[in-house]
Amino acid sequence: MSSRTLALHAPRRLAAVAAIGALGLVGLSTPSTAAPRTATYEVTVTNLTSGQPFTPPVWATHRPATEVFTVGAPASNGVRQIAENGNNAPLLAALDDDRHVTASGMAPRVGDGPPPILPGETRAFTIQTKRSGTRLSLTAMLICTNDGFTGLDSTRLPNQVGDTIVLTTSGYDAGTEVNTEDFADIVPPCAPLTGIATTDAGTAMSNPALVEGGVITHHAGITGVDDLLTGLHGWDVQAPVASITVERTG
């Protein structure tokens, strides 16, 4: 093609580009319609027992590759420390190091009151996570036990805003400490939280003499072999110990 032909065609080409630009097809700029990268949930935990306070639960949102605990498998050190000593720090640290965990934390205390969720009490808190974290796990100690806990493992979160799930949880035995039911072997808040006077100081440390190399099982309940009272600290092992409601709010 000659230079003359190019000169004749150039104005037509520029006009065509201008027309396309007027239609919004060149340099197109529209508001983003991408799905939000985070999701927000309101979690409510209700203690259904008559005499078992719970520690503030540790929670995590994560991908399916992570499991916090499994019935029939040995407890991790993090779950063991919660179940025996009410010590949340090791599990929080492990969750923080897990690349499949998208968010984690601990349910907050209420005002100036005690951290535990007392029998009949409800504790609500908000969590926010990346949308890739589609599962929720939650773990809390049954304070008046040697190594009892309750919680959820890898529960699918509600998908749409406004969706709600309501779940109940059982009492579990971590299988890591013998169930002596002796105040001397149980965390110190147990007795005062349940209105019992005792001279036993209790302990928030694992006792090597009581190590039990078992696996996580459904808890057999309180048998009354020592200081714990079946009528106060016990529960119907066929019934749930907690109710957990999760609503997606954003």
Side-chain angles (χ1 to χ4, degrees):
M1 181 180 294
S2 68
S3 59
R4 176 178 175 79
T5 304
L6 282 172
L8 289 171
H9 287 187
R12 296 178 185 176
R13 181 173 180 274
L14 291 173
V17 170
I20 292 173
L23 291 173
L25 299 179
V26 171
L28 185 65
S29 178
T30 59
S32 173
T33 59
R37 295 183 178 182
T38 61
T40 304
Y41 303 89
E42 182 81 0
V43 180
T44 304
V45 179
T46 300
N47 185 334
L48 300 179
T49 73
S50 60
Q52 273 290 337
F54 303 160
T55 55
V58 169
W59 60 267
T61 57
H62 53 87
R63 302 179 184 92
T66 285
E67 289 187 342
V68 173
F69 69 89
T70 302
V71 175
S76 67
N77 181 59
V79 171
R80 176 191 179 189
Q81 289 298 324
I82 288 177
E84 289 187 21
N85 305 312
N87 180 3
N88 290 335
L91 182 56
L92 285 169
L95 293 170
D96 190 53
D97 288 340
D98 188 332
R99 65 188 178 89
H100 297 294
V101 171
T102 53
S104 61
M106 184 177 72
R109 70 167 59 228
V110 176
D112 295 326
I117 303 175
L118 300 176
E121 183 178 277
T122 292
R123 183 75 51 85
F125 53 97
T126 299
I127 62 178
Q128 190 173 67
T129 183
K130 295 178 182 178
R131 284 179 54 83
S132 58
T134 58
R135 301 292 193 275
L136 172 68
S137 292
L138 183 150
T139 311
M141 181 190 191
L142 303 180
I143 290 176
C144 291
T145 64
N146 286 84
D147 60 342
F149 71 99
T150 191
L152 301 171
D153 181 68
S154 299
T155 296
R156 184 180 290 276
L157 285 160
N159 188 41
Q160 301 295 329
V161 173
D163 286 354
T164 299
I165 58 172
V166 180
L167 306 158
T168 55
T169 64
S170 300
Y172 299 107
D173 189 314
T176 58
E177 183 171 289
V178 176
N179 293 331
T180 65
E181 300 184 12
D182 186 337
F183 283 145
D185 302 324
I186 294 172
V187 291
C190 171
L193 283 173
T194 53
I196 296 177
T198 178
T199 57
D200 282 321
T203 180
M205 299 290 290
S206 297
N207 183 349
L210 299 178
V211 170
E212 182 182 40
V215 298
I216 297 171
T217 60
H218 286 270
H219 205 291
I222 303 303
T223 63
V225 296
D226 207 311
D227 293 324
L228 297 182
L229 305 175
T230 56
L232 175 59
H233 305 111
W235 65 92
D236 179 355
V237 297
Q238 303 300 320
V241 299
S243 174
I244 300 173
T245 300
V246 184
E247 179 185 3
R248 181 165 177 198
T249 57

